[in-house]
Amino acid sequence: MSSEESMDSPRYVDRRGTGASKWDALQERFGRSDLIPLWVADGDFSAPKAVQEALRKRAEHPVYGYSEYTEGFYDAVIGWVRRRFGWEIEREWIVPEHGVVISLNLAIEAYSAPGEGVIVQTPIYPPFLKAVKHHKRRLVENRLIVTEEGCRIDFDDLEAKASEAKLLLLCSPHNPSTRAWSEAELSRLAQIAERHDLIVVSDEIHADIVYARRHRPFAALPGMAKRSLVLHAPSKTFHIAGLNTSFAIVPDDSLRRRYRLAHETAGLDNGNCFGIVALEAAYREGEGWLEAMLKIYEENIAYVRSFLLEHTPKIRPLPVEATYLIWLDCRAMELDDDALKRFFVDEARLALNPGVSFGEAGSGFMRLNAATSRENLEEAMRRLYAAYQKREEG
């Protein structure tokens, strides 16, 4: 890491008035604009300097036409996956894409037929549920078990239901629970997939933001290269989601051909000319920035969890192993989901994601995004504490 890279520290940026969904859609989304936005998984920090410079340089060229994925794009992905996860992948395994959610939809189309079962481990990132519904597949729900130590997979339930499905949609690390699945848990999932001939589609978009352990790509597990694919992107990691650039890693030739057919049928050709150069710059020069960003996330998460555990005992933050999100167990407040949302919006004046939007298994929970300034989080905690105390005093 160069000295210049080590000096590249993320800084909080006021995004209001830039068309940022997180900040400028509050009135439309929540019915009022005076909220602190702690909802959509989007960070409020500057991208690495290398990314900014690469985008400036590309913007100086006055033609923004159809763009190919360069050899530098593929080399950057291969190098990043090797360094961060210890996984050696090959160029031909990589299928560039316009977003992980698009890949989820293409995989469902490629590997299942209408009416066939797709296993989803709920509560889950809402596009998982929407994708199953939109493609007219049958949702097979494997609900996570909530414990004091965080959410756990119900393996007995998964084993019982696995024969009903063609696909398992895995979220690793898991959103919203923030679990970074252990090697033992992933291995047990792999064994179930092998026994029941399941194809596993693993959304690993948060893989770079893990605290508990080194991330393990699912397709790197023994025997899983032939029956799984990994979906990843630099978007959450480097705050460049608006550039709509991602990739699927599909080691198996047959699975890759089926995925590419779905991709081509959808008319998804060429790439985002800015997203391509941003990915390459981020993966080549962004590791120092990322290490600094992870420290900020850890400090923010520790602050919020400590505050809530001390001051709002009926709002219990689960342990955070990955992501910059915090999954809040609010069931002790004894509010239905509509009332719980109104409490956060109208009484605490905070915009969070309602847990029920992640499926019925999320009822009574809320998801908080800690990827913002400490000042915003401190004001958010003041507002929440005041609203909580007022309600408790009745």
Side-chain angles (χ1 to χ4, degrees), residues 107-357:
I108 290 172
E109 191 69 25
Y111 306 129
S112 64
E116 290 185 327
V118 177
I119 298 173
V120 177
Q121 295 174 305
T122 57
I124 194 65
Y125 179 51
F128 277 60
L129 303 171
K130 292 177 183 177
V132 175
K133 177 182 178 181
H134 290 165
H135 291 277
K136 296 181 170 55
R137 273 50 170 180
R138 182 169 54 84
L139 180 69
V140 180
E141 191 175 2
N142 174 225
R143 291 195 178 195
L144 300 181
I145 301 169
V146 181
T147 74
E148 289 291 328
E149 293 75 33
C151 291
R152 296 291 182 267
I153 296 171
D154 187 339
F155 282 105
D156 292 337
D157 178 73
L158 179 60
E159 185 80 64
K161 294 175 177 176
S163 61
E164 303 175 29
K166 291 286 187 180
L167 280 179
L168 166 63
L169 303 184
L170 177 66
C171 193
S172 178
H174 189 266
N175 174 11
S177 78
T178 83
R179 279 299 317 283
W181 305 119
S182 68
E183 183 90 8
E185 287 170 312
L186 292 173
S187 295
R188 193 168 176 186
L189 273 173
Q191 291 164 10
I192 292 173
E194 189 77 47
R195 279 195 295 273
H196 296 277
D197 196 24
L198 288 172
I199 296 171
V200 179
V201 182
S202 187
D203 170 3
E204 303 187 9
I205 198 168
H206 290 283
D208 301 315
I209 310 170
V210 175
Y211 317 107
R213 56 183 63 87
R214 190 184 197 189
H215 175 75
R216 176 72 152 153
F218 189 80
L221 293 169
M224 288 301 104
K226 65 183 179 182
R227 64 171 60 257
S228 67
L229 57 156
V230 166
L231 312 180
H232 197 22
S235 52
K236 304 295 185 185
T237 308
F238 297 104
H239 310 310
I240 54 174
L243 298 178
N244 297 107
T245 301
S246 68
F247 52 93
I249 303 174
V250 196
D252 183 76
D253 289 342
S254 175
L255 292 183
R256 192 165 59 253
R257 283 195 297 270
R258 292 161 70 183
Y259 179 90
R260 283 192 179 277
L261 178 60
H263 171 98
E264 291 166 5
T265 302
L268 295 166
D269 296 316
N270 305 108
N272 181 313
C273 62
F274 293 105
I276 292 168
V277 299
L279 177 145
E280 184 173 345
Y283 282 171
R284 289 190 186 281
E285 303 180 60
E287 287 188 84
W289 176 96
L290 177 56
E291 294 307 318
M293 190 73 261
L294 291 174
K295 290 179 182 178
I296 293 172
Y297 291 154
E298 287 187 284
E299 291 170 358
N300 282 356
I301 290 166
Y303 163 72
V304 171
R305 294 194 73 250
S306 176
F307 185 97
L308 295 176
L309 289 169
E310 181 178 354
H311 297 291
T312 60
K314 292 183 180 178
I315 301 175
R316 183 172 68 90
L318 270 61
V320 177
E321 296 183 353
T323 81
Y324 42 69
L325 308 168
I326 306 176
W327 191 229
L328 306 179
D329 185 350
C330 306
R331 291 174 296 179
M333 294 188 72
E334 298 183 341
L335 299 174
D336 65 36
D337 290 301
D338 287 339
L340 184 60
K341 180 180 178 180
R342 289 196 301 271
F343 166 77
F344 276 91
V345 171
D346 295 326
E347 298 177 43
R349 289 180 296 125
L350 301 176
L352 277 68
N353 292 94
V356 73
S357 68

Side-chain angles (χ1 to χ4, degrees), residues 54-114:
L55 291 173
R56 275 193 292 268
K57 183 177 180 180
R58 179 62 185 87
E60 287 173 359
H61 191 288
V63 182
Y64 313 115
Y66 293 125
S67 299
E68 295 295 309
Y69 293 95
T70 63
E71 284 305 309
F73 176 96
Y74 290 97
D75 289 344
V77 170
I78 291 168
W80 184 260
V81 171
R82 177 192 301 122
R83 294 192 307 275
R84 301 301 294 189
F85 313 128
W87 187 25
E88 291 288 345
I89 63 173
E90 299 179 15
R91 183 197 186 282
E92 58 265 29
W93 297 359
I94 302 168
V95 184
E97 200 52 85
H98 295 69
V100 165
V101 171
I102 291 174
S103 286
L104 271 177
N105 281 269
L106 294 177
I108 290 172
E109 191 69 25
Y111 306 129
S112 64

